[in-house]
Amino acid sequence: MTRQRELGRGERVVPGLWRLRLPLPWPGVPHCNAWAIAAGSGIVLVDTGMHLPDSIAQLERALDQVNLRVEHVRLLVCTHAHSDHWGQAAPIRERAGCEFWMHPNHEHAVRTAEDHDLALARRIEVARQSGVPEEALRRYADRARAMPSGIASVIEPDRDLVPDVSLETDLGTWRVIETPGHAPSHVCLFQRERRMLISGDHVLGRISLYYDYGWSPDPVGEFLSSLDAVDRLDARLALSGHGRPFVDVHGHIEGNRKLVRERLDRVDAALASGRKTAVQIAPHVYDEPLTEYNAGWLLQETLCYLRHLELLGQVEHEPDRGAEVWALSER
Ligand SMILES: [Zn+2]
Ligand SMILES: [Zn+2]
């Protein structure tokens, strides 16, 4: 694909807080956001962008547009351990000489970043269980081996980013809210007096659901609980991991709940007409056909709905020649 990549861009959101828009190589997701918050003589940087050959230059470009430099970073925190939010943690920490804080449940990322073959083997196994044919698995594996991990190198946080930790900035104190679901390591940051929420990928301006599959018992249930936790904060401005800041935070939370409910209902309806594999269920759940390019994401999402319904006692599965076949439970 010959698409012109975006360039890093910086803009002030409110005095003392800047949005750094950093380019991504992914179709349909052209950029991610990092956030700089004034803190004394420097800044707290929230999230890093993905690691690519020119990614530090893109970050420098975005910072330069708002008269900041990497050396101003006094503390680096990450909302979660996905490559677009965590990938450059190592070079930023080294350049700035700062501490790096992240939630301790980051095994999902560390293990897959340290062992590319293990990560691929897990994805292939998920696809095989979902009922993807062997020939398509081979094509996927060839393509996936060539994809960059987006992680410069794996570093452990200097401190766990958990609820009893807070961030001190010129805009006041930011509390840590644990919000697993999108990723086990996900947290949001909340500034109570200003009712500002750094929402990462938990609540996005354009509703888009994604769950890490296989690292926690019930990502969908965890995500719904995390939506409740954030809704109780009554935030009035969300600064999300992708896209522009938005104000109707409660409306977006409701939108996420509604879409999850709709997809669970669609899984249920798909099974009402007979036993199916995840590959057979997916076309009933999403408004786009399953392709080699979206299958990884959509099958993982479908399996998360199935696990959620299984824990509720509504569906069950049995193995059938390597693939799991799902059916409604006898009620
Ligand atoms: Zn993410
Ligand atoms: Zn993201």
Side-chain angles (χ1 to χ4, degrees), residues 26 79-85 182-183 186 200-202 210 212 242:
W26 301 333
T79 57
H80 62 297
H82 281 165
S83 61
D84 49 332
H85 301 263
H182 173 83
H186 204 291
D201 287 353
H202 177 53
Y210 176 90
D212 272 327
H242 304 264

Side-chain angles (χ1 to χ4, degrees), residues 113-179:
E114 280 175 343
D115 189 341
H116 208 56
D117 290 341
L118 170 79
L120 181 59
R122 281 184 75 117
R123 288 203 297 273
I124 296 282
E125 192 44 39
V126 165
R128 184 174 284 123
Q129 274 176 22
S130 305
V132 175
E134 288 297 326
E135 176 52 34
L137 290 179
R138 267 194 296 280
R139 280 200 306 272
Y140 172 75
D142 289 344
R143 212 156 41 78
R145 268 185 208 103
M147 283 193 289
S149 75
I151 314 284
S153 62
V154 172
I155 52 170
E156 282 297 316
D158 299 296
R159 187 164 177 188
D160 287 344
L161 194 61
V162 288
D164 62 357
V165 171
S166 51
L167 308 178
E168 302 303 330
T169 71
D170 293 358
L171 270 62
T173 302
W174 297 74
R175 275 170 55 202
V176 176
I177 317 293
E178 287 176 315
T179 48

